Amino acid sequence: MKLRIGFELDYDFPQPTPVILMLNVHFSRVSDLAEPDHIRIQPSVRVSAYRDSFGNWCTRLLAPQGLMRIAADAIISDSGLPESHDLNAGQIPVEQLPEESLVFLLASRFCDSDRLLDLAWQLFGHTRPGAARVQAICDFVNQRIAFNYNDASVTRTATDAYREGRGVCRDYAHLAIAFCRAMNIPARYCTCYLGDAGTPPPYPPGDFAASLEAYLEGGWQTFDPRNNVPRIGRVLIARGRDAADVAIATTFGPNTLKGFKVWTDEVVERTT
């Protein structure tokens, strides 16, 4: 299948403001793009690009005073199949983990696993180590947190999400990641495009989505505690320790986000 993916972000900057964007499709999916997903900026400004320490593609610019639109629109190929993971995959002992996975065992700003250590072992110590344990964590988080866009918070930690029992997809991911790390399972935060392919209407407004990847036997596997069912057409944008590492836009000055639109739509191909 083919998906049309893209976004339009409208900002109002009261003064010239440095901005870092993390909005390009992840390098692991670039070969699936019909053409490069170039970011378009109005008014046009000079941009530069670099890769961060996690390999994510970042765009850097100086926004002028006034209104600015940041947008992209691209076509990407996808298998069209529901995602899956191997629930028989076992857990790898810490001493046998590859060095590059160890950073994803550590507590981070939003995934404060050190504060959830005792609770995690109380809740999940009886579960089978490995993918089955990660799924048990996702099942718990899916039921623990009530989803509501109005409950979004840029400062809520995993511990806060557990205590408050509310939030958005990033809070589901943060809490599940923190529990995984507390159980000695490397877990990293992912931001993605995720549309509604294969799900019944009505459909909510488009948005970016958060999920997680856990390192198990066989490598990294994707889990989604927010939806907690196999989904079609997830397109990875960036990975990091938590949402602080993969913010779609980091602005170094005051601004107002006046418009926000994201789409991930299946392209219906006509046959003649």
Side-chain angles (χ1 to χ4, degrees):
M1 66 182 295
K2 294 186 183 299
L3 299 169
R4 179 174 292 279
I5 58 175
F7 57 86
E8 290 180 354
L9 309 178
D10 293 313
Y11 285 92
D12 187 2
F13 295 99
Q15 63 193 36
T17 304
V19 179
I20 296 174
L21 304 173
M22 201 175 297
L23 286 163
N24 287 102
V25 169
H26 194 262
F27 68 82
S28 61
R29 294 296 305 270
V30 164
S31 62
D32 294 325
L33 287 166
E35 57 186 35
D37 60 332
H38 292 308
I39 296 175
R40 303 188 308 275
I41 299 173
Q42 298 173 321
S44 179
V45 297
R46 182 179 179 181
V47 301
S48 61
Y50 67 95
R51 291 200 184 279
D52 68 7
S53 59
F54 300 105
N56 303 310
W57 192 246
C58 306
T59 300
R60 187 178 181 185
L61 60 95
L62 178 64
Q65 180 181 357
L67 298 175
M68 168 171 278
R69 169 165 289 183
I70 302 168
D73 187 48
I75 301 293
I76 192 167
S77 297
D78 190 81
S79 70
L81 300 174
E83 56 198 356
S84 63
H85 44 253
D86 180 10
L87 282 178
N88 293 315
Q91 185 167 331
I92 300 174
V94 172
E95 65 272 17
Q96 296 178 22
L97 288 167
E99 284 77 8
E100 60 269 19
S101 71
L102 297 180
V103 67
F104 299 109
L105 276 179
L106 307 179
S108 59
R109 176 181 174 186
F110 292 116
C111 298
D112 47 350
S113 51
D114 48 344
R115 299 180 64 188
L116 292 167
L117 187 63
D118 292 341
L119 177 62
W121 282 95
Q122 291 171 18
L123 292 172
F124 310 111
H126 65 284
T127 59
R128 180 160 54 93
R133 175 168 287 171
V134 179
Q135 187 58 57
I137 289 171
C138 290
D139 292 342
F140 176 87
V141 171
N142 179 265
Q143 295 300 309
R144 178 72 184 186
I145 298 178
F147 183 90
N148 191 320
Y149 280 114
N150 294 327
D151 287 329
S153 169
V154 297
T155 60
R156 183 181 292 118
T157 66
T159 300
D160 295 334
Y162 174 79
R163 183 179 63 252
E164 296 172 12
R166 59 194 178 97
V168 293
C169 59
R170 64 178 261 157
D171 300 304
Y172 288 77
H174 283 155
L175 182 54
I177 289 168
F179 277 143
C180 285
R181 293 177 185 172
M183 302 300 293
N184 299 328
I185 301 171
R188 60 192 184 189
Y189 183 99
C190 302
T191 184
C192 316
Y193 287 101
L194 182 62
D196 300 302
T199 65
Y203 301 131
D207 199 354
F208 296 110
S211 57
L212 69 93
E213 292 176 346
Y215 194 84
L216 304 163
E217 288 180 346
W220 292 100
Q221 295 197 41
T222 299
F223 293 83
D224 181 351
R226 158 69 177 98
N227 295 291
N228 211 30
V229 294
R231 296 294 298 267
I232 297 171
R234 190 186 306 273
V235 179
L236 180 65
I237 296 174
R239 299 182 177 117
R241 293 166 298 179
D242 57 33
D245 288 332
V246 296
I248 60 171
T250 302
T251 56
F252 299 88
N255 65 88
T256 302
L257 180 61
K258 301 182 73 68
F260 179 89
K261 185 178 181 181
V262 180
W263 53 89
T264 310
D265 301 324
E266 183 176 358
V267 176
V268 178
E269 299 183 86
R270 297 181 179 179
T271 58
T272 57

